[in-house]
Amino acid sequence: ADPSGPLAFHADTGKPAVTFARGDKLAGPLAVSDDARLVAAVTAGRLVYVWDTGTGKRVRVYDGLGGDVAALAFRPGGAELA
């Protein structure tokens, strides 16, 4: 089955906040910033994608991590991902 589709939803409206594109495969942890403005997820290709939940657009891609990502977390304030 194709894993594309909604990844995160707005709690107040039930509408998708972030959607994985066709070909993206979620393969690890997911993190949401404390203000719920950003969502980060790990793909099967060891990429970390970050989306803006207001627009649903991908705003950053982290590559070259050199290994599996066991955990993701946003620091308080939502500006940094660890």
Side-chain angles (χ1 to χ4, degrees):
D2 184 355
S4 64
L7 177 65
F9 296 86
H10 290 284
D12 57 344
T13 65
K15 293 182 179 179
V18 173
T19 302
F20 243 29
R22 183 175 302 275
D24 290 340
K25 291 184 171 68
L26 183 63
L30 176 105
V32 179
S33 64
D34 60 354
D35 61 4
R37 291 183 56 212
L38 299 172
V39 172
V42 179
T43 70
R46 293 183 178 159
L47 299 173
V48 175
Y49 291 159
V50 180
W51 293 269
D52 179 311
T53 60
T55 65
K57 296 192 183 292
R58 191 180 308 158
V59 294
R60 184 167 306 273
V61 177
Y62 294 97
D63 190 4
L65 301 174
D68 292 336
V69 178
L72 284 176
F74 282 96
R75 292 181 186 252
E80 296 177 338
L81 183 63

